[in-house]
Amino acid sequence: MKRILSKKTGVTILEGLIALGLLALVAAGTFGVLLSVSRKSGSPDIRESMVLAVERAYDQLQMYTPELNDLSNSNVPDTLAFGLCGGDSDPLGGGTHNIDCLLPPLCDKNNSSFSYTTGATKNSMSLPFVGNYGTDGTVTGWGNTGTATVRSVEFSITCNGFTL
């Protein structure tokens, strides 16, 4: 009888518990690393947020491009009538314009800045335009040309110590 029992092999309860404990430790470590990586990839990168802020400011600044031979900003929405952040009567005027209100939300306002500098007129280009349609359907100014002013604009953004 002893001979039959001695040939049986198996796993004791203690060995099973030790194996399950080791498996649980390895699984917990693996899931912790995977969750950490997924959180980092889900949040926007500072540089990516800065680039998006510059693109948004650039798009809004294009609304101030005057029409041919018309230097008024009559076509600008009321929210942008006084510059991108308000308080700026000439958004395309020479000099530096502060637009800290367009900083990305993840930037610390005390350690970040956002501005653009408009340079002098580079040149004037003669551009043709189709003309204006009157209320009676007539077209005036067909084939005339006007001059468009070309200005240099340079953006400067610093967010939490990073500069773009």
Side-chain angles (χ1 to χ4, degrees):
M1 179 94 171
K2 279 190 170 192
R3 187 184 284 175
I4 295 173
L5 291 177
S6 66
K7 289 188 178 183
K8 289 188 178 181
T9 58
V11 178
T12 64
I13 293 176
L14 182 61
E15 291 172 335
L17 288 175
I18 291 172
L20 282 175
L22 290 174
L23 182 64
L25 283 174
V26 170
T30 303
F31 284 122
V33 169
L34 290 176
L35 285 175
S36 174
V37 169
S38 70
R39 276 189 216 128
K40 277 194 167 200
S41 66
S43 64
D45 187 31
I46 287 180
R47 284 182 225 95
E48 182 180 329
S49 296
M50 291 166 59
V51 168
L52 289 174
V54 168
E55 288 177 359
R56 187 176 67 191
Y58 175 74
D59 289 342
Q60 290 181 3
L61 197 58
Q62 284 185 345
M63 289 188 223
Y64 293 103
T65 305
E67 294 180 27
L68 298 173
N69 297 326
D70 180 17
L71 298 178
S72 69
N73 285 321
S74 60
N75 295 328
V76 175
D78 291 339
T79 56
L80 298 175
F82 295 103
L84 300 182
C85 289
D88 191 355
S89 60
D90 189 11
L92 292 178
T96 302
H97 304 269
N98 186 7
I99 51 173
D100 284 343
C101 69
L102 297 178
L103 278 168
L106 60 93
C107 296
D108 178 21
K109 301 286 185 189
N110 298 325
N111 193 21
S112 304
S113 65
F114 192 15
S115 63
Y116 68 93
T117 305
T118 55
T121 302
K122 291 240 182 189
N123 58 10
S124 293
M125 298 167 41
S126 179
L127 299 173
F129 63 95
V130 175
N132 299 321
Y133 288 91
T135 55
D136 59 354
T138 59
V139 180
T140 58
W142 189 272
N144 292 339
T145 60
T147 56
T149 304
V150 179
R151 301 181 199 275
S152 65
V153 177
E154 183 176 328
F155 290 94
S156 172
I157 183 169
T158 302
C159 179
N160 300 339
F162 294 99
T163 302
L164 182 65

